[in-house]
């Protein structure tokens, strides 16, 4: 994306700068794993870096639950809040170096940031899909991403990378399209969800479903979004993404000292922090999308199609794997990553593993943690060096 000289002067040397989202339209029907058929669909995406002549340097970024296509750079230099969600990792000289790679990030089907999803028009009734949008799976996302790769003319990715739900997509890629992914980076993820994880997701969904404005998922027509329920769902989720020690370090002992304050007044910075983030999220995300995404997360289990044998599921994978976990991540704990590593070893796959010390819990995968970034940088440099081989 070209920039004016004045804009370039304001862009850091390690930034991809100002980027403009693009979209790809697919007119052929798309059959989902549950048998539902989308007559057509759209994917919003952004790219960073340049595709090399033999198209061997493409990297796919898979987003997590609330993510989207805007992973790096800015949409508006005058609004620093428009910074991409993984900007600390993607750019010139950063771990996913756009001097070496053509990086592609997209918003999945079922999303609410421009790709076809519940807020999109249902051509059958000429109204938004709303609650009628079919349930998506990780497999559906990977299949639509494969069609998107065809659209870009990319036969195989140098790497498919994701954290959390994005890491699960990277794993599914290696299983479903072994010939199309040469490296799979699985960060802060798990081979399936624990009962506790599913329980957290269900509590969050119930907060949305019981909001007085949910209107059976047809709140767009009623012009009254379930803000309270969606905000509460986000607050619950956000707490599970942090660690106890990290929260104590950031918020411990900070309470409202006003003894005359009403019982229901905000007490302490942690409360106002959660309320602010819940309200902010509710204003920018779609409740039906949240329901779809969490159900897809709950249902992820690639071993299920192989008699519940994860080793068998990974047997045909030919990619090299990098698995990274974080010491205080209790939502997707390090032992869950080690389950993946053990299965990969048993399946005869090439795998490297690192557990990174961090106080930031599950959210660590989004942060600029020195050892984490050194590991990513080293691994990606190895991939880059092999591109010309």
């Amino acid at each position: 994306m070209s920039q004016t000289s004045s804009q370039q002067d304001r862009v850091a040397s390690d930034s991809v700068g100002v980027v403009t989202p693009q979209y790809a339209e697919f007119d052929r029907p798309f059959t989902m794993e549950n048998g539902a058929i989308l007559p057509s669909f759209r994917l919003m995406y952004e790219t960073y870096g340049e595709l090399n002549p033999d198209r061997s340097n493409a990297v796919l970024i898979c987003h997590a639950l609330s993510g989207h296509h805007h992973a790096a750079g800015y949409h508006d230099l005058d609004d620093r809040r428009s910074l991409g969600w993984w900007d600390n990792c993607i750019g010139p000289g950063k771990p996913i170096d756009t001097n070496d790679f053509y990086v592609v990030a997209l918003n999945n089907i079922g999303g609410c940031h421009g790709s076809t999803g519940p807020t999109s028009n249902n051509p059958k009734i000429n109204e938004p899909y709303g609650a009628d949008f079919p349930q998506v799976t990780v497999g559906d996302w990977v299949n639509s991403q494969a069609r998107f790769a065809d659209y870009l003319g990319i036969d195989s990715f140098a790497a498919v990378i994701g954290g959390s739900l994005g890491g699960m997509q990277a794993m599914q890629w290696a299983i479903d399209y072994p010939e199309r992914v040469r490296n799979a980076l699985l960060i802060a993820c798990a081979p399936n969800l624990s009962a506790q994880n599913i329980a957290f997701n269900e509590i969050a969904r119930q907060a949305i479903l019981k909001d007085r404005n949910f209107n059976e998922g047809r709140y767009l027509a009623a012009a009254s979004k379930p803000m309270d329920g969606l905000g509460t769902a986000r607050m619950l989720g956000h707490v599970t993404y942090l660690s106890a020690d990290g929260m104590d370090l950031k918020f411990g002992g900070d309470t409202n000292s006003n003894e005359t304050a009403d019982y229901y007044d905000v007490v302490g910075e942690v409360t106002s922090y959660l309320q602010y983030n819940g309200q902010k999220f509710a204003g920018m995300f779609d409740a039906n999308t949240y329901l779809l995404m969490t159900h897809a997360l709950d249902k992820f289990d690639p071993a299920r199609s192989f008699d519940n044998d994860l080793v068998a599921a990974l047997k045909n994978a030919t990619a090299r794997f990098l698995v990274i976990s974080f010491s205080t991540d209790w939502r997707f704990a390090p032992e869950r990553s080690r389950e993946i590593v053990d299965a990969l070893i048993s399946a005869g796959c090439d795998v490297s593993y690192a557990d990174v010390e961090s106080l930031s819990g599950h959210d660590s995968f989004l942060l600029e943690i020195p050892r984490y970034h050194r590991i990513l940088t080293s691994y990606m440099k190895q991939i880059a060096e092999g591109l010309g081989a």
Side-chain angles (χ1 to χ4, degrees):
M1 173 55 60
S2 63
Q3 303 167 19
T4 67
S5 59
S6 61
Q7 286 179 319
Q8 289 173 333
D9 291 341
R10 299 165 58 195
V11 173
S13 61
D14 63 352
S15 173
V16 299
V18 178
V19 294
T20 301
Q22 305 173 67
Y23 62 86
E25 298 278 9
F26 299 88
D27 295 329
R28 286 191 295 115
F30 180 72
T31 302
M32 305 174 79
E33 289 191 335
N34 64 2
I37 298 176
L38 292 177
S40 62
F41 68 96
R42 166 185 286 194
L43 291 177
M44 293 293 293
Y45 70 98
E46 291 180 0
T47 65
Y48 323 107
E50 300 293 332
L51 191 61
N52 63 8
D54 64 1
R55 298 177 176 268
S56 64
N57 70 332
V59 168
L60 177 66
I61 305 297
C62 300
H63 68 73
L65 177 65
S66 59
H68 45 68
H69 55 279
H70 183 43
Y74 296 90
H75 286 163
D76 181 356
L77 284 179
D78 293 323
D79 183 2
R80 293 294 171 171
R81 294 172 299 178
S82 73
L83 187 67
W85 59 267
W86 217 15
D87 185 80
N88 64 62
C89 260
I90 301 170
K94 292 180 179 177
I96 304 170
D97 194 336
T98 51
N99 291 322
D100 295 325
F101 298 106
Y102 176 68
V103 182
V104 182
L106 51 75
N107 180 217
N108 283 329
I109 285 177
C112 55
H113 292 93
S115 292
T116 298
T119 61
S120 304
N121 193 60
N122 182 347
K124 292 182 179 180
I125 59 174
N126 201 31
E127 293 179 3
Y129 278 99
D132 294 329
F133 195 85
Q135 177 60 52
V136 295
T137 66
V138 171
D140 290 328
W141 289 332
V142 169
N143 289 334
S144 64
Q145 291 161 6
R147 191 181 289 191
F148 176 63
D150 294 339
Y151 170 87
L152 294 178
I154 296 170
D155 292 330
S156 71
F157 286 104
V160 179
I161 306 173
S164 190
L165 183 53
M168 296 173 178
Q169 293 168 63
M171 188 192 310
Q172 195 73 56
W173 257 100
I175 293 169
D176 291 351
Y177 295 95
E179 75 286 357
R180 302 196 69 172
V181 51
R182 283 168 275 147
N183 291 271
L185 281 67
L186 320 181
I187 306 170
C189 66
N192 53 34
L193 255 61
S194 66
Q196 183 188 53
N197 257 322
I198 294 172
F200 281 124
N201 285 343
E202 178 59 18
I203 294 169
R205 286 191 293 264
Q206 287 299 319
I208 294 170
L209 293 170
K210 292 180 178 178
D211 187 293
R212 63 189 181 279
N213 291 323
F214 184 65
N215 196 33
E216 297 183 327
R218 290 167 176 79
Y219 46 83
L220 294 177
S224 184
K225 293 174 62 178
M227 298 283 287
D228 292 343
L230 185 54
T232 300
R234 179 59 173 177
M235 286 194 290
L236 172 65
H238 195 61
V239 169
T240 70
Y241 303 150
L242 305 175
S243 74
D245 288 343
M247 290 188 73
D248 280 344
L249 186 65
K250 186 170 185 177
F251 302 114
D254 183 8
T255 58
N256 189 338
S257 61
N258 182 358
E259 296 180 0
T260 63
D262 185 89
Y263 178 79
Y264 294 103
D265 282 353
V266 169
V267 179
E269 187 179 348
V270 64
T271 309
S272 58
Y273 169 81
L274 286 175
Q275 290 185 356
Y276 169 77
N277 279 281
Q279 291 166 4
K280 178 183 176 183
F281 181 79
M284 60 182 281
F285 210 77
D286 176 64
N288 282 316
T289 289
Y290 195 92
L291 299 176
L292 288 173
M293 296 287 183
T294 54
H295 275 301
L297 184 57
D298 289 356
K299 293 177 183 298
F300 176 77
D301 187 357
R304 188 180 296 118
S305 299
F306 296 85
D307 294 326
N308 296 314
D309 185 344
L310 185 60
V311 175
L314 293 165
K315 272 287 187 182
N316 291 328
T318 57
R320 293 172 61 233
F321 288 83
L322 174 63
V323 180
I324 298 177
S325 60
F326 297 92
S327 60
T328 56
D329 183 355
W330 58 276
R331 188 82 193 253
F332 294 101
E335 52 263 34
R336 302 308 316 274
S337 286
R338 290 193 285 271
E339 286 181 41
I340 299 171
V341 172
D342 290 345
L344 286 167
I345 292 171
S346 296
C349 298
D350 184 336
V351 56
S352 301
Y353 170 64
D355 182 49
V356 177
E357 290 288 330
S358 169
L359 284 176
S360 300
H362 185 60
D363 270 354
S364 296
F365 82 92
L366 297 168
L367 305 178
E368 191 171 352
I369 299 169
R371 181 167 179 259
Y372 169 41
H373 273 211
R374 288 196 300 271
I375 292 166
L376 279 180
T377 298
S378 176
Y379 194 88
M380 295 304 294
K381 281 299 181 187
Q382 291 180 30
I383 296 174
E385 290 167 0
L387 291 176

